[in-house]
Amino acid sequence: MCTTWYKPCSTCTIGQGTSEFARTDARVSDPNPAQPKTFFMIAKDKICAVAAATDALGMWNQLARALRVTRTVELRLDWLSDADEMDRFLARLAKTRPRATLIATCRRRQAGGKFRGTIARQLVHLAAALRSGCAWYDLEVESSSRCPPELLEVLLGEGRRIASAHFFQRSPKNLRGIAADLDRGNPDAIKIAVKCDSLGRSIEVLRLAHGRKSTIAVPMGDVALPARVLALREGSALAYAPVEYATAPGQVTLQEMIGLYRADQLGRKSRVYGVIGNPIGHSLSPVLQNAGFQARRMEAVFLPFPVRDLRDFLRSVEPLGIAGFSVTLPHKQAILRHLDDCDAMAAAIGAVNTVVVRGGGTLYGCNTDYVGVLRALELRIPLRGSRTLIFGAGGAARAVAFALAQSGASVCVCARRAKQAQALARAVGGEVVERPRLQREFFDAIVNATPIGMHPAVGRSPLAARELNCRLVFDLIYRPRVTKLMQLAALRGIETVSGVEMFVAQGTGQWEIWTGERAPVAAMRRAVLRALTHEAKMVRR
Ligand code: NAP
């Protein structure tokens, strides 16, 4: 244990995570029996769960949940509503002393936390936390800069210190200078958290940890979400993830960090893939693609990239080692300008949903929506010679139209904007069908390519029952799995296909293009269906 916290301490390096660390740690006598000798030896323990609740019981429950997946937990004491709750929680902690590496944090409001008391009270609470079983404490620069080192030594000398600096609003230029300033007090570890307005900036934050031991780099903000997941891979000593409530912008939950992204297992050799779009928060592609990597035990991860500025993302492809990415709205057309090459069908459709990063960083684009449509339909009806109707004339409708036309189906288009419908029909050699004709005409298949009926407007159908004169209805929507349109069709005895089929088929197609292997389709489909069922349950609650 560092009793001389102000001197560099080679034995207490946070997050070093090696057996060497375990050996050095074992040499020092640890007066706190709750602390394991092997802090952070297991990579999973470099994921630091953040427990933050307003009452002692809530905090305790979060701690218990965290300990099921990691042995490193930050206790946000500043979230507890008052000193009584804090005392209650710390008393229970002192009695139980879980075998874990606990970091006490009591961040003041001035530094972005919730604690309203003085610096003196903050230090008193941190000291109580150390006595109760926390080995580490996190003290922000706003407080430490106003404390004489002797006072810190007397009150907190028992603990290992993380010297932290947080920039929630402004993003300082000189990050290395800030790191050097934090180092000057000779803490056991330093932590720099910076709100990032671009992916490029979040990479700069991660680079702070390159080649530096005991440095925790925390890029904050929605755009920095992928960087948070990749923090350990880039050398950060810890990556933070909340058990329940986000304590900083852009956080990834503990469950996602370990269960979905397996952030603890990512190394420099891990391949990185992702989906770019805006918004992207509800994309199921990470669930689908990561299930494939997990099923095949591949060292790869698939991340959601919230991308407003395409150039910012493209500049980050090489530094993050991105090997391929999916493209969704609003970038499916715009990405074409940035590609080095593109397959003929994607060029004809005028939209790319899959990009492969080839040698030298060149970008090759293709479109698997097209493949997804065919895989979803061709087992159900013979497409050659069939008569099909596409309702809607947007981006997805284009992929459907090209797929159907290519398979020898005759394509009819019906859309609220006549010009759009005509343009699409012309592009595939099809015809426009005016809406009033739908009641009188028969089709082998009707495809809904509009968002009508999509969550949350689940009670709406794009077409009335009397307009459904066909053998099969294919709704591209996959939230919900069974749409109002599909219900109306089923009542008329019409076979239905959910957009889930296309989603899984286009995604497994991407997976195969990137990996060059056969996709574990069943495992990938199961993961998506599980996620959709879970979502539906949450909506009903
Ligand atoms: P999009 O480019 O915005 O096109 C939407 C089309 O629907 C446009 O023709 C639009 O007409 C029309 N539309 C929208 N609201 C309408 C309304 N109230 N009444 C009549 N027409 C309306 O969108 P997209 O990318 O093609 O996506 C369409 C749907 O397909 C979405 O629900 C999406 O989730 C789904 N999709 C599913 C998959 C899958 O894998 N399952 C893949 C891609 C897309 P205007 O141009 O006049 O607005």
Side-chain angles (χ1 to χ4, degrees):
M1 169 68 79
C2 301
T3 47
T4 50
W5 64 272
Y6 49 87
K7 289 194 185 128
C9 174
S10 61
T11 58
C12 293
T13 307
I14 196 169
Q16 205 162 305
T18 61
S19 52
E20 187 188 329
F21 172 65
R23 281 198 301 277
T24 53
D25 193 53
R27 278 204 303 271
V28 292
S29 66
D30 193 336
N32 184 345
Q35 301 306 321
K37 301 283 184 208
T38 52
F39 300 144
F40 312 127
M41 205 174 88
I42 305 166
K44 202 184 264 183
D45 294 339
K46 288 186 168 198
I47 308 269
C48 178
V50 182
T54 53
D55 61 84
L57 182 61
M59 191 76 137
W60 190 259
N61 288 341
Q62 287 194 23
L63 172 60
R65 277 165 59 195
L67 291 177
R68 282 183 215 140
V69 288
T70 175
R71 308 305 292 178
T72 309
V73 186
E74 181 189 40
L75 301 169
R76 286 295 300 263
L77 302 175
D78 54 311
W79 272 58
L80 290 164
S81 59
D82 55 35
D84 287 346
E85 291 296 334
M86 213 177 301
D87 290 347
R88 216 168 283 145
F89 173 73
L90 292 179
R92 190 165 179 185
L93 189 66
K95 226 191 262 172
T96 317
R97 300 218 164 220
R99 211 180 133 71
T101 301
L102 302 179
I103 302 168
T105 298
C106 189
R107 186 153 303 129
R108 297 181 73 229
R109 287 175 74 82
Q110 290 80 346
K114 287 182 181 276
F115 186 62
R116 291 170 183 274
T118 61
I119 294 175
R121 292 289 331 154
Q122 177 188 27
L123 300 185
V124 166
H125 290 314
L126 289 175
L130 294 182
R131 286 195 302 276
S132 305
C134 294
W136 289 82
Y137 67 96
D138 178 327
L139 192 62
E140 59 273 10
V141 67
E142 289 84 349
S143 294
S144 60
S145 62
R146 293 172 63 191
C147 296
E150 298 75 16
L151 181 65
L152 288 182
E153 170 62 11
V154 169
L155 279 173
L156 304 170
E158 284 286 287
R160 300 169 193 183
R161 180 160 69 105
I162 298 173
S164 62
H166 302 80
F167 300 92
F168 289 100
Q169 305 297 340
R170 67 187 180 89
S171 189
K173 283 207 176 84
N174 184 11
L175 290 174
R176 294 213 168 265
I178 290 163
D181 283 350
L182 287 174
D183 265 338
R184 225 157 267 143
N186 285 328
D188 299 293
I190 67 166
K191 175 177 123 191
I192 301 183
V194 181
K195 173 88 190 295
C196 301
D197 54 10
S198 68
L199 191 57
R201 181 61 170 161
S202 63
I203 293 170
E204 283 169 25
V205 174
L206 289 185
R207 280 186 179 148
L208 277 175
H210 282 191
R212 286 174 57 103
K213 279 180 184 166
S214 309
T215 297
I216 307 167
V218 186
M220 296 189 289
D222 293 344
V223 76
L225 185 152
R228 269 186 180 267
V229 177
L230 297 175
L232 297 180
R233 177 184 185 256
E234 299 297 316
S236 178
L238 292 178
Y240 289 82
V243 180
E244 200 162 322
Y245 304 112
T247 53
Q251 277 181 337
V252 180
T253 65
L254 182 62
Q255 202 185 353
E256 288 173 341
M257 195 73 122
I258 292 177
L260 180 60
Y261 302 122
R262 299 178 299 160
D264 51 307
Q265 294 170 38
L266 302 176
R268 283 305 301 170
K269 284 193 191 144
S270 309
R271 274 172 292 158
V272 176
Y273 300 94
V275 54
I276 65 168
N278 185 31
I280 201 66
H282 288 97
S283 172
L284 282 177
S285 293
V287 170
L288 177 80
Q289 303 293 351
N290 285 316
F293 295 140
Q294 290 201 23
R296 290 276 188 265
R297 297 181 187 284
M298 281 185 178
E299 217 186 308
V301 66
F302 187 97
L303 300 164
F305 287 85
V307 171
R308 280 183 290 274
D309 175 359
L310 205 44
R311 286 177 192 282
D312 170 45
F313 170 77
L314 293 172
R315 276 194 296 269
S316 308
V317 165
E318 194 265 322
L320 287 180
I322 295 170
F325 53 95
S326 314
V327 187
T328 187
L329 296 176
H331 303 303
K332 277 187 173 182
Q333 282 90 36
I335 191 73
L336 278 158
R337 287 198 297 277
H338 302 278
L339 300 176
D340 297 286
D341 200 359
C342 177
D343 82 5
M345 186 50 74
I349 296 172
V352 157
N353 80 330
T354 312
V355 175
V356 182
V357 182
R358 290 180 164 171
T362 57
L363 303 180
Y364 179 81
C366 41
N367 191 315
T368 64
D369 281 340
Y370 162 87
V371 182
V373 174
L374 294 184
R375 285 195 192 164
L377 284 183
E378 61 197 358
L379 287 179
R380 292 178 170 91
I381 54 165
L383 289 174
R384 182 158 299 281
S386 66
R387 184 163 191 254
T388 59
L389 174 84
I390 303 169
F391 189 63
R398 263 187 94 73
V400 175
F402 275 85
L404 293 176
Q406 190 75 10
S407 309
S410 93
V411 177
C412 301
V413 182
C414 178
R416 66 177 170 186
R417 284 199 283 154
K419 256 194 181 166
Q420 263 200 334
Q422 273 155 11
L424 180 54
R426 205 177 309 122
V428 296
E431 62 165 311
V432 172
V433 173
E434 305 287 345
R435 179 88 188 240
R437 276 174 57 197
L438 294 186
Q439 298 183 46
R440 302 189 299 273
E441 305 248 349
F442 185 85
F443 302 95
D444 291 296
I446 293 181
V447 183
N448 173 40
T450 75
I452 306 168
M454 193 164 81
H455 178 80
V458 293
R460 293 182 62 207
S461 168
L463 296 169
R466 62 181 180 283
E467 293 173 311
L468 301 176
N469 303 306
C470 57
R471 286 168 52 202
L472 182 133
V473 162
F474 179 21
D475 198 340
L476 295 196
I477 291 170
Y478 56 86
R479 273 192 181 99
R481 253 173 90 186
V482 180
T483 59
K484 182 77 182 170
L485 172 69
M486 289 166 70
Q487 288 170 2
L488 291 180
L491 283 175
R492 288 170 73 93
I494 298 168
E495 189 181 351
T496 59
V497 183
S498 161
V500 173
E501 296 305 316
M502 173 175 165
F503 178 73
V504 171
Q506 61 80 33
T508 50
Q510 295 179 316
W511 197 94
E512 290 178 352
I513 288 171
W514 290 323
T515 64
E517 293 187 21
R518 269 183 82 83
V521 177
M524 293 170 81
R525 173 184 279 109
R526 254 197 320 275
V528 168
L529 295 182
R530 209 180 308 123
L532 285 170
T533 306
H534 177 72
E535 269 182 26
K537 267 191 206 151
M538 300 307 275
V539 168
R540 275 200 295 277
R541 264 189 207 166

